[in-house]
Amino acid sequence: MKLNEVLDELVIKNRPISQYGNVANYIPELDKAQKDALGIFITDITGNKFHAGDWNTKFTIQSISKIVTLMLAILDNGEEYVFSKVGMEPTGDPFNSIVKLETSRGRKPYNPMINAGAIAVSSMIKGKDAREKFERLLDFFKLISEDSTLDVNYKIYCGEAETGNRNRAMGYFLKSEGIIDGNVEDALTVYFKQCSIEVTAETLSKIALFLVNNGKISTGETIIPPRVATIIKTLMVTCGMYDSSGEFAIRVGIPSKSGVGGGILSVVPGKMAIGVYGPSLDEKGNPIAGVALLEDLSKKLNLTIF
Ligand code: DON
């Protein structure tokens, strides 16, 4: 059976699972997504492309942006500085949890994938103000995805900025602890905008391909050192699916990062780059049918890295 046919079959099989989840509604506009949408786009290591279902539907990248911002923050500041401010350990708590910020011994966010850690990382992007910081970050997104059309969905951005009081609270707490050095509002603006970048499953597959190629774009140019690509992939395994990361590692076994917009970006080292879209989320904020689709695909093609 050809891979395109396999993907068609798996989308048909898993689409009904969408009914057991819900589209995110805590950010205005996200609830406009079609609940049973499901799509996948795969680029293999030799550049062949395969897709099925709603692979071309636009949605916002949300938390998947955290891995890209982390790459640029490490390029801008070095690994040592970044991880002096943000840890490397999974939390076992929800992505927007606040509780460990004050109780943890190091008094720093546990990892760069939870919102608190990601806001701290966004504050590290170099630039004289929020505009310059975000321009640099968007240019970096365009460079590694090789897609110059990427842009912010401003309706979603405004919704995030208006309703993101929990994120704002965490930002100010991090400032009071000396984790955020510069202006908190600048850090939050960069964070809300990066989450609101509009993508498709194909875009996610392109960013994943950059990681499959250990930080090289198609011209052969190295954009991030292989060491940084390894850090990102490792954090995807341990923290990429939040407090489901352990279960996901067992069920799917592919380094992945999810977002509440419905995306999952998955990297199968040495083999393929996968983008998934399915906006119906489980109770932990991961795409419910998208995870089931990846589980089936991983079993069928034996993609687990473990
Ligand atoms: O800050 C937030 O809550 C959102 N902009 C991003 C959260 C997210 O995508 C969590 N992912 N599952």
Side-chain angles (χ1 to χ4, degrees), residues 91-95 239-247 283-286:
T91 60
D93 297 327
F95 64 82
C239 315
M241 306 299 283
Y242 303 109
D243 43 335
S244 258
S245 297
E247 185 184 336
E283 74 285 355
K284 294 187 171 166
N286 291 315

Side-chain angles (χ1 to χ4, degrees), residues 116-170:
I119 293 164
V121 170
S122 298
S123 80
M124 297 176 202
I125 300 300
K126 298 267 191 246
K128 67 175 185 313
D129 53 22
R131 177 184 290 267
E132 191 177 299
K133 285 169 193 269
F134 183 70
E135 288 285 307
R136 288 189 63 244
L137 181 56
L138 185 60
D139 283 345
F140 185 73
F141 266 89
K142 290 177 180 174
L143 177 67
I144 67 165
S145 64
E146 305 193 38
D147 182 347
S148 60
T149 68
L150 288 188
D151 207 351
V152 170
N153 176 325
Y154 279 93
K155 264 193 176 166
I156 303 248
Y157 164 67
C158 290
E160 295 237 9
E162 275 164 24
T163 61
N165 292 316
R166 198 179 175 88
N167 286 328
R168 197 162 270 115
M170 288 193 275

Side-chain angles (χ1 to χ4, degrees), residues 8 13 18 23 36 48 85 126 155 159 210 212 238 267 289:
D8 280 336
K13 178 185 167 216
S18 312
V23 168
D36 71 345
N48 297 312
K85 302 283 190 187
K126 298 267 191 246
K155 264 193 176 166
F210 173 73
V212 171
T238 54
V267 177

Side-chain angles (χ1 to χ4, degrees), residues 26-27 62-63 66 95 115 160 167 191 195 242 257-261 284-286:
Y26 73 100
I27 298 168
Q62 297 297 339
S63 282
K66 293 169 181 172
F95 64 82
N115 288 4
E160 295 237 9
N167 286 328
Y191 174 76
C195 288
Y242 303 109
K257 181 76 203 82
S258 62
V260 293
K284 294 187 171 166
N286 291 315

Side-chain angles (χ1 to χ4, degrees), residues 14-289:
N14 287 293
R15 197 188 289 276
I17 293 177
S18 312
Q19 67 189 293
Y20 302 113
N22 284 302
V23 168
N25 60 7
Y26 73 100
I27 298 168
E29 293 290 322
L30 280 190
D31 60 352
K32 302 259 157 71
Q34 189 188 314
K35 185 170 170 176
D36 71 345
L38 184 63
I40 182 164
F41 195 103
I42 295 182
T43 313
D44 72 14
I45 191 88
T46 54
N48 297 312
K49 298 176 195 317
F50 309 90
H51 52 74
D54 302 296
W55 62 274
N56 204 18
T57 301
K58 286 191 169 171
F59 57 96
T60 50
I61 190 166
Q62 297 297 339
S63 282
I64 303 168
S65 65
K66 293 169 181 172
I67 60 175
V68 181
T69 311
L70 180 59
M71 294 177 208
L72 185 58
I74 295 176
L75 289 187
D76 277 357
N77 303 276
E79 177 185 334
E80 206 173 311
Y81 178 81
V82 171
F83 290 105
S84 73
K85 302 283 190 187
V86 182
M88 300 176 178
E89 301 302 335
T91 60
D93 297 327
F95 64 82
N96 59 358
S97 180
I98 239 169
V99 65
K100 285 205 172 102
L101 280 185
E102 202 181 15
T103 57
S104 68
R105 240 186 315 136
R107 309 267 291 195
K108 60 184 185 185
Y110 262 60
N111 67 67
M113 301 295 129
I114 52 170
N115 288 4
I119 293 164
V121 170
S122 298
S123 80
M124 297 176 202
I125 300 300
K126 298 267 191 246
K128 67 175 185 313
D129 53 22
R131 177 184 290 267
E132 191 177 299
K133 285 169 193 269
F134 183 70
E135 288 285 307
R136 288 189 63 244
L137 181 56
L138 185 60
D139 283 345
F140 185 73
F141 266 89
K142 290 177 180 174
L143 177 67
I144 67 165
S145 64
E146 305 193 38
D147 182 347
S148 60
T149 68
L150 288 188
D151 207 351
V152 170
N153 176 325
Y154 279 93
K155 264 193 176 166
I156 303 248
Y157 164 67
C158 290
E160 295 237 9
E162 275 164 24
T163 61
N165 292 316
R166 198 179 175 88
N167 286 328
R168 197 162 270 115
M170 288 193 275
Y172 281 96
F173 183 81
L174 293 169
K175 176 77 185 175
S176 79
E177 289 290 315
I179 300 288
I180 290 182
D181 256 348
N183 182 291
V184 185
E185 287 302 326
D186 283 358
L188 289 162
T189 300
V190 172
Y191 174 76
F192 292 140
K193 281 193 175 168
Q194 73 182 55
C195 288
S196 308
I197 293 174
E198 215 163 38
V199 294
T200 63
E202 180 177 12
T203 325
L204 297 184
S205 170
K206 286 175 166 176
I207 299 172
L209 187 66
F210 173 73
L211 287 169
V212 171
N213 291 324
N214 288 312
K216 280 193 177 133
I217 53 174
S218 63
T219 58
E221 191 187 345
T222 298
I223 307 298
I224 60 170
R227 161 83 185 158
V228 178
T230 300
I231 291 172
I232 303 292
K233 284 182 282 185
T234 312
L235 281 167
M236 286 164 72
V237 171
T238 54
C239 315
M241 306 299 283
Y242 303 109
D243 43 335
S244 258
S245 297
E247 185 184 336
F248 186 87
I250 289 174
R251 284 174 57 189
V252 183
I254 304 173
S256 298
K257 181 76 203 82
S258 62
V260 293
I264 308 175
L265 181 156
S266 302
V267 177
V268 188
K271 285 191 183 149
M272 62 177 69
I274 308 173
V276 168
Y277 172 57
S280 183
L281 309 178
D282 63 23
E283 74 285 355
K284 294 187 171 166
N286 291 315
I288 194 163

